[in-house]
Amino acid sequence: MTETPVLICGGGLVGLSTAVLLAGRGVRPLVVERHPGTSLLPKGRGLNVRSMEIYGAAGLAGALAAAPQSVLTRCTEVIRARDLCAPVESRSARQAPGNLAGLSPAKPLMVDQNVVEPVLRERARQLGAQLEFGTELLGLDQDASGVTARLLDRDSGRERELRARYLVAADGHRSPVREALGIGVDRIGRSRQFVNIPFRADLSGLLAGHRTALAYLGRPVPDTMLTRLDNEETWVLMVPFDGATAAEEVFTRERCAHSVRAALGADVDVELLSLNPGEPTLVQSWELSSWVARRYRAGRVLLAGDAAHVMAPAGGLGGNTGVQDAHNVAWKLSLVVRGLAGDALLDSYELERRPVALVTRDYCAQRQESRTSGDGDRSMAVDPLSMSLGYHQFSAAVRAPGTSGAITPASELWGAPGTRVAHAVLRGRDGEISTLDLCAGGFCLLAAADGEKWVRAARAAAEERGLPLSAGRLDKEWEDIGGVAAATLRLSGEQALLLRPDGYVCWRSEEGDDPGRALPEVLDTVLAREGLVTASHNERSASDVR
Ligand SMILES: Cc1cc2nc3c(=O)[nH]c(=O)nc-3n(C[C@H](O)[C@H](O)[C@H](O)COP(=O)(O)OP(=O)(O)OC[C@H]3O[C@@H](n4cnc5c(N)ncnc54)[C@H](O)[C@@H]3O)c2cc1C
């Protein structure tokens, strides 16, 4: 039977992100995706600043910046009206991400999800991930050492079995894997089915020149939404419907045309479009709901992305939260599979990510409600930038107490354990870098100028354990331009902090700590290394990776 270290079920945004991030850390996963290609629908319209930090570290910033930007880049207005000919009841601007100056090396990017996914697919392939589109996971069994997956090649109809040490279920909101494992969800509010009706029409006259990004409409039924598709003249009407009957049956060509005209309030020239070229089906359906899976891990299976949580679209955070999942799970899986961390490190994934998803779910639901009721984004207590950058992650993989899912305002991040390290610019051997770049290759021990003892101890502990770790001092290995990093990170004298591969601070030194004892203890605890026992296990792990 073929074997793979990590099988990823789902070649959407999150499955492909996980593949890129794992392959970038030296573990070549196999991705199976039942569709022949990536998403045809834009779905997510923007990558927030945290996603761009993550993708930037994975070498994707250039390719994403060169990709066509979303039509929504130029359109920010959100309106509410009965139909497009009726008086506008409220007009607001989509909330700007906030002032990023000095807070991040990255910038958010408005790129549609159907443009991002091919970029990820190509990067995953370049890094050595195996990608099988047109392959469906039919079922799985797991035991103490791995997962046996039953796969179907949808073209040939051929079935085969495959053995994986771990399975990442990035198989979307319906997640057959989550269903098979019997993992329930914690839901808030009412779920609603929507049908997407794509069409082409010149609406500039009806919109009176306004660059509307999104309209909440009362026709053909209340809570209908209209947004731009991929250029100035293509649109998608999202109509709530009773999900008891398949959307494709109810939404005939006539009904689609009628719904669009009702929403526009005028008999404008409309061309209905098909999202699946060559297929007769005009519409696709999706569910607006807000829930988080009760568990993120069941044995050797880890849920990520929409398989683990679904957010209302108004927050623009569903896919972005999934990218963070991929980032969190990938560094942990890479070290476990390579025999450098214990399996228990993977328990920290749920402890860190599930509370963040719960907070994000509630935030998006509130924002959806606020927009639908015409209040725009005004009533939100937390700004989008802090939602993107300020979320806390705590577990045994952080050597300090704290609560996952709490939010620190982005401008107040300073390098506390359990938070993303604050951004500051340093000058290294190859030019300027961000403090976030320090952990691109693995852990990073960053010490103040007099903290040489920590640097030595970190290097020794890493070498003994075969861990990827860089270590250095401010103003020695890394020049602290204008002393900003020392001040921002509150590092002085002999102090030091330890960054995880995901840029989260997992420990800070305390007065009187003995480096030779403290650092080995921190690394062994964070990485659950007491669970690592036999050399043969390590040998087997090493053969799974490059
Ligand atoms: C209208 C709308 C607007 C949105 N706007 C935003 C936004 O602005 N910002 C944002 O961040 N998010 C947004 N989202 C959410 C975002 O699109 C999702 O969070 C994102 O698609 C999740 O990615 P995923 O990879 O987890 O799941 P998916 O994109 O659903 O991918 C799952 C993949 O798994 C595959 N699969 C399923 N079962 C199997 C199987 N058995 N074998 C093999 N493959 C399988 C599926 O074919 C699919 O390709 C929006 C969503 C919608 C519907």
Side-chain angles (χ1 to χ4, degrees):
M1 199 186 311
T2 330
E3 289 192 16
T4 184
V6 180
L7 172 64
I8 299 172
C9 178
L13 182 77
V14 176
L16 291 171
S17 297
T18 310
V20 168
L21 297 167
L22 262 177
R25 294 198 183 279
V27 175
R28 292 173 171 161
L30 168 65
V31 179
V32 291
E33 164 56 53
R34 66 188 162 95
H35 286 128
T38 47
S39 174
L40 298 165
L41 262 181
K43 296 200 283 188
R45 311 304 292 263
L47 297 170
N48 69 18
V49 62
R50 184 62 183 144
S51 294
M52 286 306 294
E53 288 179 356
I54 293 168
Y55 287 149
L60 283 160
L64 288 170
Q69 307 291 290
S70 171
V71 65
L72 297 191
T73 311
R74 304 183 294 279
C75 311
T76 55
E77 187 188 68
V78 180
I79 63 167
R80 193 182 138 84
R82 191 193 59 206
D83 57 54
L84 282 198
C85 286
V88 172
E89 294 156 22
S90 70
R91 203 183 279 283
S92 60
R94 206 176 49 229
Q95 200 175 10
N99 184 6
L100 261 172
L103 299 181
S104 173
K107 286 199 180 82
L109 199 63
M110 295 293 286
V111 197
D112 295 340
Q113 191 170 329
N114 55 335
V115 173
V116 175
E117 289 183 7
V119 174
L120 293 171
R121 181 179 176 170
E122 177 53 21
R123 182 72 180 145
R125 194 193 56 74
Q126 281 171 1
L127 290 168
Q130 256 183 289
L131 306 169
E132 288 190 21
F133 280 71
T135 298
E136 181 169 357
L137 177 84
L138 294 179
L140 66 115
D141 283 314
Q142 57 170 322
D143 53 44
S145 63
V147 176
T148 303
R150 204 150 50 81
L151 303 177
L152 168 72
D153 178 330
R154 284 166 56 112
D155 262 350
S156 66
R158 196 173 61 88
E159 282 187 29
R160 74 183 207 270
E161 282 194 338
L162 175 122
R163 186 84 181 146
R165 299 215 10 231
Y166 291 95
L167 167 66
V168 176
D171 51 348
H173 68 287
R174 292 199 181 94
S175 181
V177 173
R178 189 190 65 240
E179 289 291 318
L181 295 169
I183 298 177
V185 303
D186 287 326
R187 197 180 286 271
I188 55 164
R190 178 162 77 109
S191 297
R192 299 192 79 180
Q193 296 291 322
F194 280 75
V195 65
N196 281 345
I197 306 174
F199 64 96
R200 187 189 314 278
D202 178 1
L203 303 185
S204 52
L206 291 184
L207 293 171
H210 286 279
R211 303 191 71 82
T212 305
L214 178 63
Y216 290 96
L217 302 171
R219 286 191 175 161
V221 290
D223 300 333
T224 293
M225 293 179 272
L226 174 71
T227 189
R228 291 176 193 263
L229 197 53
D230 51 10
N231 64 46
E232 299 285 334
E233 292 205 342
T234 55
W235 300 84
V236 59
L237 188 71
M238 297 177 259
V239 185
F241 78 105
D242 167 12
T245 322
E248 294 75 11
E249 284 173 32
V250 183
F251 282 83
T252 58
R253 180 167 281 274
E254 291 67 38
R255 173 134 179 218
C256 288
H258 173 79
S259 299
V260 171
R261 294 218 168 82
L264 303 184
D267 199 6
V268 176
D269 261 355
V270 167
E271 179 196 349
L272 295 175
L273 302 172
S274 172
L275 285 173
N276 302 324
E279 281 188 28
T281 324
L282 277 176
V283 296
Q284 285 187 342
S285 61
W286 59 281
E287 189 179 88
L288 193 160
S289 50
S290 303
W291 53 256
V292 175
R294 296 210 176 103
R295 287 156 65 205
Y296 273 31
R297 178 176 191 189
R300 297 248 156 186
V301 183
L302 299 134
L303 306 184
D306 276 17
H309 47 71
V310 168
M311 326 281 182
L317 287 172
N320 285 298
T321 306
V323 175
Q324 296 163 12
D325 294 342
H327 194 223
N328 189 299
V329 82
W331 76 263
K332 293 173 181 172
L333 263 177
S334 73
L335 293 179
V336 172
V337 163
R338 293 164 68 190
L340 299 173
D343 171 89
L345 173 61
L346 297 173
D347 292 337
S348 69
Y349 170 62
E350 173 177 319
L351 293 169
E352 295 182 0
R353 294 303 307 157
R354 188 172 182 276
V356 175
L358 286 167
V359 168
T360 313
R361 174 199 68 180
D362 296 353
Y363 173 86
C364 292
Q366 191 195 338
R367 198 156 155 172
Q368 187 77 31
E369 173 60 30
S370 164
R371 278 195 181 172
T372 319
S373 63
D375 284 349
D377 294 333
R378 285 183 291 274
S379 60
M380 300 308 297
V382 182
D383 63 287
L385 197 53
S386 301
M387 283 303 293
S388 315
L389 296 179
Y391 56 90
H392 296 198
Q393 300 188 136
F394 280 95
S395 68
V398 174
R399 296 293 287 144
T403 309
S404 291
I407 308 282
T408 291
S411 58
E412 293 172 21
L413 288 170
W414 60 275
T419 65
R420 164 192 156 288
V421 67
H423 160 68
V425 180
L426 304 172
R427 191 170 290 120
R429 245 178 310 175
D430 300 324
E432 288 188 1
I433 54 168
S434 162
T435 40
L436 284 154
D437 298 325
L438 294 175
C439 41
F443 282 85
C444 175
L445 183 289
L446 178 62
D450 297 332
E452 194 189 347
K453 60 182 183 179
W454 289 110
V455 173
R456 267 190 275 114
R459 287 183 182 148
E463 196 178 318
E464 201 180 314
R465 288 159 181 76
L467 276 177
L469 181 147
S470 57
R473 287 157 296 168
L474 291 175
D475 273 341
K476 298 287 192 290
E477 286 78 3
W478 296 301
E479 184 190 337
D480 182 7
I481 303 168
V484 175
T488 310
L489 302 176
R490 303 183 194 172
L491 277 181
S492 61
E494 297 185 342
Q495 289 175 331
L497 56 77
L498 185 64
L499 299 179
R500 307 191 315 190
D502 58 359
Y504 267 64
V505 179
C506 63
W507 167 86
R508 292 184 72 104
S509 65
E510 283 179 12
E511 189 76 35
D513 277 347
D514 169 2
R517 285 164 56 121
L519 269 179
E521 189 271 331
V522 168
L523 286 170
D524 288 345
T525 311
V526 164
L527 295 174
R529 285 177 58 90
E530 72 283 3
L532 278 182
V533 271
T534 61
S536 66
H537 172 82
N538 286 356
E539 278 157 25
R540 186 161 55 82
S541 306
S543 69
D544 287 335
V545 296
R546 264 180 277 173

